[in-house]
Amino acid sequence: MSERKGDTRQRILQSASRMLAERGPVDPAVAEVMAAAGLTVGGFYAHFASKDALMLEAFRQLLGRRRERLAEVDQGLGGLERRTLLAAFYLSRKHRDALDERCPLPSSISEIERLPESFRQVLAEHVQLITAQMSETPEEADVALADLALMVGGLALARALGAGELSDRLLRAAKSAIK
C-alpha cells in the first residue's frame, strides 16, 4: 500500500472512529464518514470492502487504544487499585461528556448482536484482555469482569441521562461500588 493510500485509509478510520464512539457502528453512513474525512464516497471501496469492514477495524482500533491507555497505569498497583483508578476516570463527568477519546462500548453494545459475528469476537477478545489487565489473579478476574460491566453500564446510563444531577449521582454510585 502506498504511503498516500495508507494516510487516506487512516483519515477514514479516524473519522469512522469518532462517529462510532459517539453513535455506535450502525448509524454513521459511509457518505458521512467520508465527508468528515474530507473525501468523496467514490474512493471508499479502494480502502474497505464494506461499511461493516470499516466499522469493525475502527472498533478494533478504538478498543486497542483503550487497553494501551490502561497498560500505561502503574503496573506496581494491585488489581483493585488499577480498577479504582480506572473507574475514577471512566465514571467521571469529563469522560461522560467528552466528544473525543470516548469509550465506544456504551454507544455500541446494544448494536453488536445485530452485526456480523466478527464484532462479537472483537468485543469478547477485548473483554478478556482488559479484564486480565484489571486483575492480578484468575480468582480476581470475575471481580474485574463485574467491575467492567458496572463501569460500561454506568457510563451508558449516565450518557443516556445527559449532564445533570441524576447522571452525576449515578456516576458517583457506580464508582463507589468498585471496591
Side-chain angles (χ1 to χ4, degrees):
M1 179 181 318
S2 73
E3 186 175 330
R4 183 172 178 207
K5 187 172 181 178
D7 290 345
T8 300
R9 181 181 175 84
Q10 281 308 309
R11 282 177 42 208
I12 297 167
L13 278 166
Q14 287 171 349
S15 175
S17 293
R18 281 190 303 274
M19 290 182 188
L20 187 153
E22 186 175 331
R23 297 173 14 214
V26 173
D27 184 42
V30 169
E32 201 176 359
V33 170
M34 295 298 282
L39 302 164
T40 62
V41 176
F44 175 79
Y45 291 101
H47 301 279
F48 298 94
S50 66
K51 177 185 166 188
D52 281 346
L54 166 64
M55 288 303 186
L56 180 63
E57 189 166 337
F59 189 55
R60 182 179 286 118
Q61 284 186 6
L62 281 168
L63 295 177
R65 283 198 296 272
R66 304 305 289 187
R67 291 189 307 274
E68 287 170 7
R69 290 184 77 189
L70 183 55
E72 293 171 2
V73 173
D74 182 356
Q75 294 304 304
L77 297 174
L80 175 58
E81 290 83 12
R82 278 196 300 275
R83 290 192 307 279
T84 301
L85 189 60
L86 175 61
F89 164 75
Y90 194 87
L91 294 167
S92 68
R93 288 185 301 186
K94 181 179 180 181
H95 188 224
R96 176 197 62 202
D97 301 338
L99 295 178
D100 59 345
E101 294 300 315
R102 294 169 63 111
C103 178
L105 292 179
S107 63
S108 302
I109 53 175
S110 66
E111 298 175 342
I112 297 292
E113 68 181 302
R114 294 185 303 276
L115 291 168
E117 179 64 24
S118 50
F119 282 85
R120 193 171 284 141
Q121 291 167 354
V122 167
L123 177 60
E125 177 185 32
H126 174 70
V127 167
Q128 290 173 338
L129 291 171
I130 202 154
T131 300
Q133 285 181 287
M134 293 168 53
S135 57
E136 290 184 291
T137 65
E139 297 77 27
E140 193 181 13
D142 283 348
V143 175
L145 195 58
D147 286 347
L148 178 64
L150 176 64
M151 286 188 277
V152 173
L155 184 61
L157 190 52
R159 283 184 180 165
L161 289 168
E165 180 53 33
L166 181 57
S167 179
D168 291 349
R169 281 180 47 214
L170 191 144
L171 291 172
R172 284 191 305 270
K175 268 189 275 199
S176 71
I178 296 175
K179 349 181 169 178

